[in-house]
Structure formats: C-alpha cells, structure tokens
C-alpha cells in the first residue's frame, strides 16, 4: 500500500533465480484476484507481470519506435508507484536486518519452511508496526 508501506500480498518459497512473473502466479492475488480486489480496483505492476484488466504494467517502447506522450506520462506515474514499493521493502529490511541476507542453509524441505516462516513472521510484524504507528 503506497500510502502506508503495508504489504498486502506476497509469495514465498521460490528461489531467487525464479522469474518474478512465474513467482507471481503462486500469489493469492494472481489466483483469486476477483476475491482479493474490490470491484473496479486494480494493481500496478512492473513489466514482468501479465497485463490484465486488474493488473496494469508499463508501456513498452515498440522496436524502432517511441511511446506517445500519454504513454510516457502513464509510465512516469507507474514509476513513482514502483519507487514506493521499493521503499516498503527498504522499511521491511531496515526493521528486520536479518532479511538483508538471510543466513540459512537450505538443504531440506524443513529448512525451506524455516526460511519461509522467518520471512512471513517479519512481514506480519512489519504490517503490525505500520498499523500501530499510523493508528489505522
């Protein structure tokens, strides 16, 4: 949420080498967007995500061409939203320094679950802190 840096959806369990678009397919938002998003709402996303009526991503410059003025303005607004998302990640990692470099050796499924639960706990605590700090 760009206005308070809360994290409302996330996907965990994929290694860092997995493409964002593939990992996104495992999120609740991607699977159940009609239940998660109120009517006539959408999400902003970067160019790695699918273009859907509920998932808007930036315009890509056509090969050998250029974007229209409106497309460029749209992309500028979207860029500002993406910066806010990065601010949310920075706030999360600033609060929970262990997330900057999670030093866990993943050698089994159990190890993976420990890492997932660790990150999930940090996400939940982050949202609780934001909630209590803002009073909302």
């Amino acid at each position: 949420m760009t206005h308070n840096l809360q994290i409302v959806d996330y996907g965990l369990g994929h290694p860092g080498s997995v493409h964002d678009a593939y990992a996104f397919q495992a999120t609740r938002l991607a699977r159940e967007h009609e239940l998660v998003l109120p009517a006539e709402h959408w999400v902003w996303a970067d160019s790695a995500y699918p273009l859907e009526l509920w998932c808007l991503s930036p315009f890509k410059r056509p090969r050998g061409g250029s974007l229209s003025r409106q497309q460029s303005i749209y992309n500028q607004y979207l860029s500002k939203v993406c910066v806010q998302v990065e601010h949310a990640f920075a706030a999360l990692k600033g609060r929970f320094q262990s997330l900057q470099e999670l030093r866990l050796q993943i050698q089994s499924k159990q190890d993976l679950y420990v890492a997932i639960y660790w990150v999930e706990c940090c996400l939940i605590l982050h949202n609780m802190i934001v909630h209590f700090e803002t009073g909302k």
Side-chain angles (χ1 to χ4, degrees), residues 31-48:
R31 289 180 285 122
E32 302 174 3
H33 59 87
E34 63 282 339
L35 298 174
V36 175
L37 294 173
E40 299 182 24
H41 280 70
W42 64 89
V43 296
W44 298 94
D46 67 28
S47 59

Side-chain angles (χ1 to χ4, degrees), residues 20-62:
D20 288 352
Y22 180 79
F24 177 67
Q25 296 307 315
T27 65
R28 183 165 182 236
L29 178 62
R31 289 180 285 122
E32 302 174 3
H33 59 87
E34 63 282 339
L35 298 174
V36 175
L37 294 173
E40 299 182 24
H41 280 70
W42 64 89
V43 296
W44 298 94
D46 67 28
S47 59
Y49 297 87
L51 183 60
E52 304 280 352
L53 290 175
W54 55 270
C55 185
L56 305 176
S57 59
F59 288 99
K60 295 178 184 173
R61 185 177 54 81

